[in-house]
Amino acid sequence: MSTVVQSFIPVAKDSHFPIQNIPFGVFSTAQQTTPRVGVAIGEQVLDLAVIAKAGLLNGIEGLNDPVAVFDKPALNEFMGLGKPVWRATRLAIQKLLSENEPTLRDNSELQGRALVKQADVTMHLPAQIGDYTDFYCSREHATNVGIMFRGKDNALQPNWLHIPVGYHGRASSLVVSGTDIRRPAGQRITPQNKTSPFFAPSAKLDIELEVGWFVGKGNTLGERIDIADAKDHIFGLVLVNDWSARDIQAWEYVPLGPFLGKNFGTTVSPWIVTLDALEEFMVDGPSQTEPAPLKYLQENKKSAYDIDLEVQIKPNQTSKFEKVALSNLKYMYWSVTQQLAHHTVNGCNMRPGDMCATGTLSGPEKENFGSLLELSWNGTEKVIFKESKQERTFLEDGDEVNLTAYKDSKSGYRIGFGDCHGKILPCLYDNDA
Amino acid sequence: MSTVVQSFIPVAKDSHFPIQNIPFGVFSTAQQTTPRVGVAIGEQVLDLAVIAKAGLLNGIEGLNDPVAVFDKPALNEFMGLGKPVWRATRLAIQKLLSENEPTLRDNSELQGRALVKQADVTMHLPAQIGDYTDFYCSREHATNVGIMFRGKDNALQPNWLHIPVGYHGRASSLVVSGTDIRRPAGQRITPQNKTSPFFAPSAKLDIELEVGWFVGKGNTLGERIDIADAKDHIFGLVLVNDWSARDIQAWEYVPLGPFLGKNFGTTVSPWIVTLDALEEFMVDGPSQTEPAPLKYLQENKKSAYDIDLEVQIKPNQTSKFEKVALSNLKYMYWSVTQQLAHHTVNGCNMRPGDMCATGTLSGPEKENFGSLLELSWNGTEKVIFKESKQERTFLEDGDEVNLTAYKDSKSGYRIGFGDCHGKILPCLYDNDA
Ligand SMILES: [Ca+2]
Ligand SMILES: [Ca+2]
Ligand SMILES: [Mg+2]
Ligand SMILES: [Mg+2]
Ligand code: NI
C-alpha cells in the first residue's frame, strides 16, 4: 500500500494497531468465554469468527472454511495454510476496515457483534505452541555475558560467529502477557563454596528482552527449509520476556544448557505482528564477512528489522513504569530467517504454531542492554530509577516488567506490538525446604 | 496379585505382554484407520474403544466416560485422570482377560471386534507429547563421557552428584518405533581445525539407550510435585532411542546444550508399561551418601527398577540383529521420581502426556555401555559383530537398531517393553550443500 489508508474505526496517532498493522491474536470475553481469533484495530478487537460467520471472508483462495479456521482457540490452523492465504486474509480485513468500504462501516448491528474493546477482552496465547526454541543471536548480549564470565579475550565462544546458537525451551510454561510469575526456588552455590549447593529462592531473578517468531507452514521431518524460502514460513513476530533465575542457571547449565533457571515461566505478547506489516522496516543487518557464514546460512537480501524495543519496570510500591533499556531488533546478528534455516538444516521438523525467540536483544551501549544481568553487570552496579529513586540489581517481589516495541513509518503511522507484561509473586518455599 | 493369573488368550512363555503386564498404547488398522487406545496381551491388541462401547469399562470410579477417553488418538486424557483410575482400569482389564471370567472369553462376536493381531496394527505415539525432557542420570555414562572429553580427574562435572542434570528436547521429532531415521547434515569441525566448521552429513551417528517416563497427572505452574507424591504422577515407562550426531553436537553445544545434534529424530516404543506392572521389580538404587542429596531429592523407599535393557544392531546387508550391549535400569543414579521432583521444584508445570527420558543408561562394564560413543570409545575401538563379522564405530546407512527390555518375575512370567526400532536412511545432502 503506497497511499495511507485510514480505517473508519478511530485510531489514535500513537496507537500500535492502525489499519496498516492488523496483528492476529486469540481472545475471549466475559459474555463469550470460548476463545477465538481476532485482529487488533485501534483500541478494538475485530472478532474474525463473527466476521467469518457473516460471510465476509468468503472467496479467499485457500481459505476454504473461514469459520472453522477462526472460530478456534488458537491460530495453528490458519498458520498452516501458508503465506498466500495469510496475505490475502489480511488484505481482505484491511479492505473491510477501510474508511471507504461500507460493508462493515454502515452495518452497526454487525459492528456491535464483531467489535469488542481491548480493555474488555481476555487475551490468550495466540497458538498452541508445540515446541519453543530460544536462540542466542545478539552479538552484544553474547559478548557481554562472555566478558562477565570468561573475560574479554574469550568473550565469544568459537562457534558463535558460525552458528545461530540455540536451545530447546519449555513449551508448557509459556504464558500470555499479564500472567503473574512466581519466583522460583532451586539449587545454587556461593562464590565461597562452589561445590556444595543449597536450596533457596532465586536471588538473581532477571528478565530477557526478546522477540519471538511463529512458524507458519512447517516442514517434513528429514527435510529442511532453504534460507531462500524461510521468510514464507514465518507467520509473524511477538515480544517475549524470558524470565531467568541467574543463580539457578549458573549452577545447573554445564554441560547440557539452561533448564530450571528458565522453565518456570516465559511471557509472550498476545498480538502476532505479521512480517507483511513489518516489511517497510526491513534494513540490512550487521555485516557477516568475518567470517562469512556457511552457504546454507547465506542470504542476499535485507533480513533485519528496524524496530525499537523497550524495557520498562515498575518497582514494587511505586506507581509508574520507568524505562530501563531501549534496544532495537536491527542489532541482532543472526536474522530470523537464518535461525529458521539453521534449525531445520538437520531435518528437524517445524510445525505450525511452533515458536522461536531470538535471545536477549542487547545493543552496543549500556542503555541498550536487554537484561538486568547486563544492566547491573551481574549485580555489581545498581540500576537507578530516575523518578522513583528506587535501585535494583535483580528483580524484587512485586516488581512489574513490561516490554513494548514499535516503529513509526515514514507515512506517519505506528506499527507496534502492544505490551508484554508480568509481575513477580513471592516464592512459595523457604530456604532448604 | 499373589497368585499367577492366566488369560484365556494364549500367551507364550517368553511374551513381553502377559496378563500381568497390560501396557497401554495407541493403534490403528487398515480397516479402521482412526487411532484409538488399546492394551497388549500376548500377540494381540485389545481395543479399549470397542470394550468401552460394549459397556465393559463402566462403573470405574473417576472414569466417567470410558468411550470418550479410549476412542481417542492419544492417552493424554486417560493419563490426566490420575493413578486410582489407571489402577482400577488396569485391574478391570485384567479381570476381563482372565481365564475364569466368561464375559469376553465366551463372546466370540465381541472378541472378533475387540482383538486384533499386533502383526496387523499400526502403532502410533501413545500420547500427544507437549514437552520432552532428556535427563543425564547414569553415573557410568556421565563418567565415560567425562573421561573421554575431559580426562579421568574431572570426569564428573561438579554439579552432577547434586542435580539430576537434564535439558529440554524437541517434541516435534519424537517418532514411534519403526519410523526410519534420516542421517542429518550439519556443521562440524576437524581435530586439525577446531575453529572453521564445514558442512557435511554426520559421520558420527549414534544411538542412546534410554528409558522414557510419561507424566500422568500434572501440576500447576508455580507449584511443585513433592518427591513423596512423585510416583503417583508417573503413568509408566517406555524405551527411547535418542539418536545423536556426535560431531554436530560437539561443535554446537557450548554453552546452551545439545540442539541439532539431537533433534532430528528420537524413537519411542509404543507400549507404555505401567509402574504398577513393574512394582515387583523395584530394588534399591545406587547409594547416595557422598554427597547426600538436598532434602527435596531425598526419598526413603525403593525407587530403582531391575529391568534388563538390550541394544541390538542389524548392520546393513546382514540379516540378523546382534546384541551389542546389555544394561539395566537399576544402575541409574537418579531415580525417575527424583527426576520429576527436580523438574518441578522451581514451579515448572508438567502436563499429562509430557515425556521425560533418563539419559543413556550405561552400566559398570564395557558390555553395559548404552551408546556407540562409549562402545567404540569415540571411534577409537571397533565394535565387532560376532556372527556377521561386521565392524562399526558409528552407524552406517542402512543399519537398523532395536532396543528391547524385559525382566522375568519370580513367578515365571515376563514383563517386557516390546521393541524400539529404527533404520538409518542416507543423508539427503552433500558436503557443503
Ligand atoms: Ca533467552
Ligand atoms: Ca540423551
Ligand atoms: Mg523463561
Ligand atoms: Mg534425539
Ligand atoms: Ni513441546
Side-chain angles (χ1 to χ4, degrees):
Chain A
M1 275 172 290
S2 52
T3 61
V4 177
V5 182
Q6 302 277 349
S7 175
F8 61 83
I9 293 170
V11 175
K13 192 142 176 65
D14 63 352
S15 171
H16 285 200
F17 307 125
I19 194 171
Q20 290 79 9
N21 192 346
I22 309 295
F24 289 80
V26 170
F27 75 102
S28 63
T29 54
Q31 292 73 38
Q32 198 185 331
T33 55
T34 308
R36 63 269 186 196
V37 174
V39 294
I41 175 76
E43 296 179 355
Q44 311 276 325
V45 177
L46 179 69
D47 184 331
L48 292 192
V50 169
I51 291 296
K53 283 173 194 163
L56 300 183
L57 295 172
N58 290 346
I60 294 173
E61 199 180 328
L63 184 65
N64 298 325
D65 189 346
V67 176
V69 170
F70 293 122
D71 199 5
K72 279 266 162 59
L75 276 157
N76 299 62
E77 192 167 332
F78 184 54
M79 291 165 158
L81 295 177
K83 182 145 193 164
V85 178
W86 314 333
R87 180 169 283 167
T89 302
R90 183 165 160 274
L91 288 173
I93 294 166
Q94 285 177 320
K95 180 157 186 278
L96 188 67
L97 290 172
S98 68
E99 60 187 349
N100 302 321
E101 177 68 26
T103 315
L104 181 59
R105 184 194 67 197
D106 298 347
N107 186 339
S108 59
E109 184 275 330
L110 183 58
Q111 280 194 33
R113 289 187 293 123
L115 289 167
V116 199
K117 275 192 197 141
Q118 282 163 34
D120 294 339
V121 306
T122 300
M123 296 304 297
H124 303 267
L125 280 179
Q128 188 186 332
I129 300 171
D131 275 294
Y132 155 50
T133 294
D134 196 14
F135 283 93
Y136 188 56
C137 284
S138 158
R139 183 171 186 163
E140 291 82 359
H141 172 67
T143 303
N144 285 338
V145 171
I147 293 172
M148 259 180 260
F149 295 110
R150 285 183 307 277
K152 253 203 162 102
D153 294 337
N154 302 297
L156 280 187
Q157 300 281 5
N159 59 8
W160 200 93
L161 291 167
H162 298 278
I163 288 185
V165 171
Y167 69 104
H168 302 122
R170 177 90 191 168
S172 70
S173 51
L174 293 166
V175 295
V176 72
S177 175
T179 308
D180 293 335
I181 298 292
R182 178 72 64 183
R183 178 183 300 271
Q187 292 195 27
R188 51 192 177 95
I189 52 173
T190 60
Q192 290 74 42
N193 184 343
K194 293 190 177 177
T195 54
S196 296
F198 62 102
F199 183 88
S202 171
K204 288 190 173 181
L205 185 53
D206 198 0
I207 57 162
E208 293 195 323
L209 167 66
E210 306 196 19
V211 165
W213 50 271
F214 276 90
V215 176
K217 213 165 183 157
N219 61 306
T220 303
L221 181 63
E223 299 177 6
R224 70 191 200 184
I225 296 175
D226 193 279
I227 194 157
D229 305 324
K231 199 172 164 187
D232 291 347
H233 287 262
I234 297 176
F235 182 77
L237 309 187
V238 290
L239 294 169
V240 173
N241 186 348
D242 179 20
W243 308 92
S244 299
R246 301 297 178 193
D247 37 12
I248 296 172
Q249 183 184 350
W251 169 238
E252 75 177 355
Y253 88 104
V254 174
L256 299 184
F259 185 50
L260 302 192
K262 296 282 192 177
N263 65 15
F264 56 90
T266 306
T267 305
V268 181
S269 64
W271 293 111
I272 307 180
V273 180
T274 64
L275 292 195
D276 277 354
L278 299 168
E279 188 67 26
E280 68 183 302
F281 306 114
M282 293 204 79
V283 293
D284 288 320
S287 162
Q288 294 185 335
T289 51
E290 291 178 30
L294 287 173
K295 199 154 70 178
Y296 78 92
L297 290 171
Q298 290 172 10
E299 47 193 356
N300 50 18
K301 46 191 175 199
K302 283 181 176 136
S303 61
Y305 293 88
D306 178 11
I307 300 164
D308 290 320
L309 308 166
E310 193 171 318
V311 180
Q312 308 165 340
I313 296 181
K314 183 162 89 64
N316 57 28
Q317 322 222 348
T318 71
S319 56
K320 257 175 90 173
F321 278 99
E322 298 186 46
K323 181 163 74 177
V324 297
L326 182 68
S327 188
N328 193 300
L329 184 52
K330 74 181 175 191
Y331 298 137
M332 182 165 70
Y333 188 82
W334 295 105
S335 68
V336 291
T337 34
Q338 288 177 315
Q339 291 167 37
L340 178 55
H342 181 66
H343 203 321
T344 63
V345 76
N346 68 339
C348 179
N349 58 323
M350 311 293 287
R351 298 174 292 190
D354 286 348
M355 192 184 85
C356 297
T358 56
T360 310
L361 292 165
S362 295
E365 305 298 328
K366 178 155 184 173
E367 68 219 44
N368 313 130
F369 293 174
S371 66
L372 290 171
L373 176 71
E374 294 161 272
L375 290 166
S376 77
W377 211 252
N378 196 20
T380 60
E381 300 169 27
K382 299 260 188 223
V383 177
I384 313 273
F385 289 78
K386 281 179 197 132
E387 292 206 43
S388 62
K389 313 294 179 206
Q390 296 290 308
E391 300 176 344
R392 288 288 181 280
T393 50
F394 293 97
L395 294 171
E396 293 186 3
D397 294 344
D399 286 353
E400 295 184 44
V401 179
N402 189 46
L403 311 181
T404 189
Y406 62 86
K407 195 74 189 182
D408 291 333
S409 78
K410 287 184 191 118
S411 318
Y413 55 81
R414 173 170 292 185
I415 301 286
F417 286 71
D419 291 320
C420 182
H421 168 261
K423 178 180 175 176
I424 302 302
L425 301 183
C427 188
L428 289 177
Y429 306 102
D430 290 338
N431 280 26
D432 212 26
Chain B
M1 278 170 290
S2 52
T3 62
V4 178
V5 182
Q6 302 277 348
S7 176
F8 61 84
I9 294 171
V11 176
K13 191 140 177 66
D14 62 352
S15 170
H16 285 199
F17 307 126
I19 194 170
Q20 289 79 9
N21 193 344
I22 309 295
F24 290 80
V26 170
F27 75 103
S28 63
T29 55
Q31 291 73 38
Q32 197 185 332
T33 55
T34 308
R36 63 272 187 196
V37 174
V39 295
I41 175 77
E43 296 180 354
Q44 311 275 326
V45 177
L46 179 69
D47 185 331
L48 292 192
V50 169
I51 291 298
K53 282 173 194 163
L56 300 183
L57 295 173
N58 290 345
I60 294 173
E61 198 180 331
L63 184 65
N64 298 325
D65 189 346
V67 177
V69 169
F70 293 121
D71 199 5
K72 278 266 162 58
L75 276 157
N76 300 60
E77 192 166 330
F78 184 53
M79 291 165 158
L81 295 178
K83 182 142 193 167
V85 178
W86 315 332
R87 179 169 283 168
T89 302
R90 183 165 161 273
L91 288 173
I93 295 166
Q94 285 178 320
K95 180 156 186 278
L96 188 67
L97 291 171
S98 67
E99 57 186 351
N100 301 320
E101 177 70 25
T103 315
L104 181 59
R105 184 192 67 195
D106 298 346
N107 186 339
S108 60
E109 184 275 330
L110 183 59
Q111 280 195 32
R113 290 187 291 123
L115 288 167
V116 199
K117 276 193 196 139
Q118 281 163 34
D120 294 339
V121 306
T122 300
M123 296 303 297
H124 302 267
L125 280 180
Q128 189 185 333
I129 301 172
D131 275 293
Y132 156 48
T133 294
D134 197 13
F135 283 93
Y136 188 55
C137 283
S138 157
R139 182 170 185 165
E140 292 81 0
H141 172 67
T143 303
N144 286 337
V145 171
I147 292 171
M148 261 181 262
F149 296 111
R150 285 183 308 276
K152 255 204 160 102
D153 294 338
N154 303 296
L156 281 186
Q157 299 281 5
N159 59 9
W160 200 94
L161 291 168
H162 299 277
I163 288 186
V165 170
Y167 69 104
H168 302 122
R170 177 90 191 168
S172 71
S173 52
L174 293 166
V175 296
V176 73
S177 174
T179 308
D180 292 336
I181 297 293
R182 178 73 65 184
R183 179 184 298 273
Q187 292 195 27
R188 50 192 177 95
I189 52 172
T190 60
Q192 291 73 42
N193 185 341
K194 293 189 178 180
T195 55
S196 296
F198 62 103
F199 183 89
S202 171
K204 288 191 172 179
L205 185 53
D206 199 0
I207 57 162
E208 291 195 324
L209 167 65
E210 305 197 18
V211 165
W213 50 271
F214 276 90
V215 175
K217 212 164 183 157
N219 62 306
T220 303
L221 181 62
E223 299 177 8
R224 71 190 199 184
I225 296 174
D226 192 279
I227 194 155
D229 305 324
K231 199 171 165 189
D232 291 347
H233 287 262
I234 297 176
F235 182 76
L237 307 187
V238 290
L239 294 169
V240 172
N241 185 349
D242 178 21
W243 307 92
S244 299
R246 300 297 177 194
D247 38 12
I248 296 173
Q249 184 184 350
W251 169 238
E252 75 178 354
Y253 88 104
V254 174
L256 298 184
F259 185 49
L260 302 192
K262 297 280 191 178
N263 65 17
F264 56 90
T266 305
T267 304
V268 181
S269 64
W271 292 112
I272 307 180
V273 180
T274 63
L275 293 196
D276 275 355
L278 298 168
E279 187 68 23
E280 67 182 302
F281 305 114
M282 295 205 78
V283 293
D284 287 320
S287 162
Q288 294 185 335
T289 51
E290 293 178 29
L294 287 172
K295 198 154 69 177
Y296 77 94
L297 290 171
Q298 290 173 10
E299 46 193 357
N300 50 17
K301 46 192 173 197
K302 285 184 175 128
S303 61
Y305 293 89
D306 178 12
I307 299 165
D308 289 320
L309 308 165
E310 193 170 319
V311 181
Q312 307 164 340
I313 297 182
K314 183 162 89 64
N316 57 27
Q317 320 219 350
T318 72
S319 57
K320 258 175 88 174
F321 279 98
E322 298 185 46
K323 181 164 75 178
V324 298
L326 182 67
S327 188
N328 193 299
L329 184 53
K330 74 182 174 190
Y331 298 137
M332 183 165 69
Y333 189 82
W334 295 106
S335 67
V336 292
T337 34
Q338 287 177 316
Q339 290 167 40
L340 178 54
H342 181 65
H343 203 319
T344 62
V345 76
N346 68 338
C348 179
N349 58 324
M350 311 295 286
R351 298 174 292 191
D354 286 348
M355 192 184 83
C356 297
T358 55
T360 310
L361 291 166
S362 296
E365 304 300 327
K366 178 155 183 174
E367 68 219 44
N368 313 131
F369 293 175
S371 67
L372 290 170
L373 175 71
E374 294 160 273
L375 291 165
S376 77
W377 211 251
N378 197 19
T380 60
E381 300 169 25
K382 299 257 188 229
V383 177
I384 314 273
F385 290 77
K386 281 179 196 132
E387 291 204 42
S388 63
K389 314 294 180 205
Q390 296 289 309
E391 300 176 343
R392 289 288 183 279
T393 49
F394 293 97
L395 295 171
E396 292 186 3
D397 294 344
D399 287 352
E400 296 184 45
V401 178
N402 190 46
L403 311 181
T404 190
Y406 63 86
K407 196 72 189 183
D408 291 332
S409 78
K410 287 185 191 117
S411 319
Y413 56 82
R414 173 171 292 184
I415 299 286
F417 286 72
D419 291 321
C420 182
H421 169 260
K423 180 181 176 177
I424 302 301
L425 300 183
C427 188
L428 289 177
Y429 307 102
D430 291 337
N431 282 26
D432 213 25

